[in-house]
């Protein structure tokens, strides 16, 4: 396969929070991988910034450490690492202080793409934006990249939007949701809108329901006290699952264009019905092989959910009567993120229904093994008569691309390069984020007002029994995580 990696225009990327966990585990390794792939130009520069007093060489040592630990060994080429580190430098800056800004202004070039990545807590977004403008470092075509969480409710999200808008236009702001950088997510749009097969069936006439699952095997240990203020609803549903729901449910945009696509996603969020409290199940993992959620959160009285399952209805012509079931949780039996489009049964069967015939399902897997499969019913091969079996038409992207295919880039690699290209398609717009909070807030407020305590569930399970009942009472069932 011919490499289709085209270098982006040269850039200066100022990485605030360059010494932090996210920069070390994701951002710097992703940039290095793009460098190795030939996409990061040789005269592009990465300028790390944080309060720690580090020299350029001290920062380069940290970059080497990040590559060593978080990039696969087959990409450890000493001359490549030296060249990449040669493009990195560091300036100590406190986002709220006065030192370092002059040095930063002198360091960034005006005639290249200028991007500022805020890999710091959200309370620093406003002060950083203001300083960058005030010191004349950022200009009208500079780009800002901001990390999640973007607020904890609609009011805080609006305040963050206002703080950024005081110094930058919406077209300059790139709000990261790394789920959107997954190959599969873009393929969901390709499958829907570039094939004649699916779109005619993509509605309440042919689809019974949709399931979206993001299951993790890890607990919250290590960041338990932070997580305890958030919970699965804020940490996962309001952003990641909501984005997957929108991309599944949205109308075809007129063109594959950032604003047209985001307009369609926004319409979906606005069409979501308020959620009936009986349609939501919250859970907390209990002690098992590992400590309980409450122990991890260091809060024995915690009422925060590490699991949530819910039924969501979309009030529009396409989706009336098609429930979307969402679930996400920690310490579940398997790490799995997928969207399942469950089609209806055929309207009449000419075959004996005791056969293994099942309705078709299209499964879109985000992890592990990004890909899609479509289950179809066929005749079991052989002389055994007309016996039906379900088989998957499997398209795992890594296999489909073949042994000579290019490796699928990590979500962060794709998203950072999109920033450099000035492509906002896979980033959330401010009004989208606020609308998602406007839908989420009453659900959380209801729990808090009622003092609801989450149901407990066993580690390594698929969540509390109540979550199974949520679907059983509709005559449906969750896809087995182990399938
Ligand atoms: P972290 O490990 O605590 O790192 C924070 C970084 O910010 C450090 O480099 C710190 O360096 C710098 N910093 C703190 N206060 C500063 C100030 N006043 N001025 C300048 N720099 C300052 O946090 P993180 O996990 O990397 O997370 C960074 C952001 O990404 C957060 O918004 C987080 O919610 C988000 N995020 C993180 C992850 C993840 O997996 N870690 C995933 C998704 C989103 P100094 O102490 O040297 O200043």
């Amino acid at each position: 396969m011919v490499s289709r990696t085209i270098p982006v225009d040269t850039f200066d990327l100022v990485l605030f929070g360059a010494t932090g966990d996210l920069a070390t585990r994701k951002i710097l390794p992703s940039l290095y991988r793009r460098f190795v792939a030939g996409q990061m130009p040789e005269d592009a520069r990465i300028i790390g910034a944080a309060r720690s007093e580090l020299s350029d060489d001290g920062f380069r040592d940290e970059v080497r450490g990040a590559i060593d630990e978080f990039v696969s060994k087959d990409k450890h080429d000493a001359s490549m690492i030296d060249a990449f580190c040669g493009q990195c430098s560091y300036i100590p800056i406190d986002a709220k202080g006065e030192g370092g800004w002059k040095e930063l202004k002198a360091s960034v070039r005006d005639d290249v793409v200028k991007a500022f990545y805020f890999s710091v807590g959200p309370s620093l977004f406003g002060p950083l934006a203001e300083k960058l403008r005030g010191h004349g470092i950022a200009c009208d075509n500079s780009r800002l990249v901001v990390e999640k969480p973007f607020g904890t409710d609609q009011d805080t999200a609006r305040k963050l939007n206002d703080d950024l808008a005081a110094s930058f236009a919406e077209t300059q702001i790139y709000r990261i949701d790394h789920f959107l950088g997954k190959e599969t997510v873009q393929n969901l749009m390709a499958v829907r809108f570039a094939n004649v097969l699916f779109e005619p069936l993509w509605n309440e006439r042919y689809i019974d329901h949709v399931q979206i699952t993001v299951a993790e095997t890890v607990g919250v240990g290590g960041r338990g006290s932070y997580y305890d203020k958030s919970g699965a609803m804020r940490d996962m549903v309001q952003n990641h699952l909501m984005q997957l729901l929108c991309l599944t449910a949205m109308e075809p945009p007129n063109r594959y264009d950032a604003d047209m696509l985001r307009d369609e996603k926004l319409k979906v969020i606005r069409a979501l019905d308020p959620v009936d409290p009986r349609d939501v199940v919250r859970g907390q993992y209990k002690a098992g092989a590992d400590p309980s959620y409450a122990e991890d959160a260091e809060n024995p009285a915690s009422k925060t959910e590490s699991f949530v399952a819910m039924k969501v209805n979309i009030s529009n012509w396409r989706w009336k009567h098609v429930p979307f079931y969402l679930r996400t949780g920690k310490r579940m039996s398997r790490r799995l993120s997928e969207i399942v489009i469950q089609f209806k049964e055929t309207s009449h069967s000419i075959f004996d229904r005791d056969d293994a015939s099942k309705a078709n399902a299209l499964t879109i897997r985000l992890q592990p093994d990004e890909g899609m499969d479509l289950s179809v019913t066929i005749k079991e091969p052989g002389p055994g008569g007309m016996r039906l079996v379900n088989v998957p038409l499997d398209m795992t992207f890594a296999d489909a691309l073949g042994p000579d295919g290019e490796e699928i880039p990590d979500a962060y690699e794709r998203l950072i390069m999109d920033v450099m290209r000035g492509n906002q398609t896979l980033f959330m717009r401010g009004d989208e984020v606020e609308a998602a909070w406007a839908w989420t807030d009453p659900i959380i407020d209801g729990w808090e007002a009622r003092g609801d305590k989450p149901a407990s569930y066993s580690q390594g399970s698929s969540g509390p029994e109540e979550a199974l009942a949520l679907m059983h009472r509709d005559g449906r069932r969750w896809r087995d995580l182990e399938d």
Side-chain angles (χ1 to χ4, degrees):
M1 183 181 285
V2 179
S3 171
R4 286 201 263 154
T5 303
I6 300 164
V8 296
D9 288 343
T10 196
F11 60 81
D12 281 352
L13 171 65
V14 181
L15 176 56
F16 289 99
T19 56
D21 176 68
L22 186 69
T24 307
R25 282 193 309 109
K26 287 287 181 189
I27 304 170
L28 291 165
S30 295
L31 283 159
Y32 174 71
R33 282 192 218 101
R34 288 296 91 201
F35 179 77
V36 172
Q39 202 168 17
M40 179 173 146
E42 287 175 4
D43 56 349
R45 294 192 313 207
I46 299 161
I47 302 163
R51 289 168 306 180
S52 303
E53 289 293 336
L54 281 179
S55 62
D56 286 340
D57 282 341
F59 179 57
R60 287 174 191 138
D61 286 344
E62 299 226 341
V63 175
R64 282 175 202 280
I67 295 170
D68 191 49
E69 195 173 350
F70 298 107
V71 176
S72 60
K73 298 289 175 222
D74 59 314
K75 294 200 170 52
H76 287 198
D77 175 297
S79 60
M80 281 280 180
I81 296 176
D82 284 347
F84 179 76
C85 288
Q87 293 180 235
C88 297
S89 60
Y90 183 84
I91 302 177
I93 298 182
D94 182 339
K96 293 182 171 168
E98 290 309 320
W101 300 106
K102 276 199 194 111
E103 291 80 351
L104 184 59
K105 185 169 167 55
S107 289
V108 291
R109 297 167 289 180
D110 283 327
D111 54 348
V112 300
V113 171
K114 284 199 274 189
F116 301 90
Y117 198 132
F118 295 178
S119 180
V120 293
S123 63
L124 297 180
F125 293 175
L128 277 175
E130 195 187 318
K131 295 275 190 207
L132 289 170
R133 268 296 192 190
H135 287 275
I137 301 166
C139 54
D140 285 348
N141 54 13
S142 302
R143 294 159 200 172
L144 288 194
V145 187
V146 298
E147 269 297 335
K148 81 168 223 189
F150 201 84
T152 53
D153 56 20
Q154 192 184 12
D155 288 346
T156 48
R158 187 175 292 147
K159 166 90 173 64
L160 284 176
N161 277 334
D162 290 348
D163 287 351
L164 294 176
S167 307
F168 293 90
E170 183 61 36
T171 48
Q172 297 179 270
I173 302 169
Y174 293 73
R175 293 177 195 76
I176 291 239
D177 181 329
H178 70 275
F179 271 55
L180 292 180
K182 298 262 180 201
E183 183 73 19
T184 334
V185 166
Q186 290 151 81
N187 246 305
L188 171 58
M189 291 185 271
V191 163
R192 279 192 63 190
F193 304 134
N195 294 285
V196 76
L197 283 183
F198 292 106
E199 197 48 29
L201 307 180
W202 211 262
N203 55 52
E204 56 113 30
R205 184 151 176 222
Y206 297 103
I207 294 179
D208 179 73
H209 72 275
V210 176
Q211 299 187 18
I212 302 179
T213 298
V214 178
E216 297 175 283
T217 51
V218 293
V220 301
R223 60 180 200 117
S225 50
Y226 160 80
Y227 186 92
D228 203 41
K229 293 186 204 84
S230 162
M233 190 73 178
R234 287 191 173 100
D235 192 49
M236 298 298 290
V237 177
Q238 183 274 344
N239 39 51
H240 305 316
L241 278 86
M242 176 70 79
Q243 289 296 321
L244 300 182
L245 179 148
C246 286
L247 290 168
T248 308
M250 72 183 186
E251 295 300 314
N254 190 242
R255 272 188 287 119
Y256 188 68
D257 160 278
D259 271 324
M260 288 186 180
L261 200 126
R262 295 184 299 176
D263 287 345
E264 295 305 335
K265 285 196 288 165
L266 183 59
K267 285 185 208 162
V268 175
I269 302 174
R270 289 187 173 149
L272 296 177
D273 283 348
V275 175
D276 185 322
R278 286 167 301 186
D279 288 339
V280 189
V281 174
R282 302 165 77 217
Q284 231 183 43
Y285 57 83
K286 52 188 177 190
D290 290 290
S292 68
Y293 173 83
E295 287 167 280
D296 278 345
E298 297 170 18
N299 178 7
S302 172
K303 289 181 180 165
T304 303
E305 75 286 353
S306 59
F307 172 97
V308 64
M310 61 200 303
K311 176 173 151 182
V312 178
N313 295 308
I314 305 173
S315 273
N316 63 21
W317 277 39
R318 189 186 283 265
W319 296 116
K320 197 75 195 163
H321 311 304
V322 183
F324 280 61
Y325 296 93
L326 316 183
R327 71 175 159 168
T328 180
K330 308 273 183 198
R331 286 256 183 266
M332 295 177 71
S333 59
R334 190 176 165 212
R335 177 171 175 260
L336 175 80
S337 300
E338 65 174 22
I339 304 168
V340 181
I341 314 294
Q342 181 63 59
F343 291 94
K344 291 184 175 173
E345 303 262 340
T346 51
S347 55
H348 166 73
S349 176
I350 63 169
F351 303 106
D352 180 352
R353 271 290 152 187
D354 288 342
D355 270 322
S357 155
K358 278 199 223 144
N360 304 112
L362 175 67
T363 304
I364 299 146
R365 254 185 342 268
L366 282 84
Q367 63 192 20
D369 307 326
E370 287 193 64
M372 299 194 182
D373 80 51
L374 177 67
S375 77
V376 290
T377 302
I378 60 163
K379 178 194 164 295
E380 191 175 57
M386 198 61 189
R387 289 175 58 84
L388 303 180
V389 284
N390 268 83
V391 291
L393 293 179
D394 188 351
M395 196 180 83
T396 304
F397 295 151
D399 296 346
L401 292 172
D404 302 326
E406 286 182 61
E407 208 176 297
I408 298 175
D410 171 85
Y412 271 91
E413 293 175 52
R414 180 188 315 276
L415 293 173
I416 296 170
M417 290 301 115
D418 276 358
V419 173
M420 301 313 168
R421 288 192 203 97
N423 184 348
Q424 288 186 303
T425 309
L426 301 175
F427 296 85
M428 295 178 295
R429 208 169 55 192
D431 51 1
E432 240 185 289
V433 180
E434 284 186 34
W437 280 122
W439 176 79
T440 315
D441 283 352
I443 304 170
I444 299 174
D445 291 348
W447 296 337
E448 286 173 2
R450 291 188 301 273
D452 286 357
K453 193 158 173 14
S456 57
Y457 63 95
S458 301
Q459 298 187 13
S461 72
S462 52
E465 290 293 317
E466 290 83 341
L468 304 181
L470 176 76
M471 286 197 78
H472 282 171
R473 71 171 196 233
D474 293 345
R476 302 184 173 106
R477 64 178 200 89
W478 293 105
R479 271 253 307 201
D480 194 336
L481 289 179
E482 304 301 327
D483 274 356

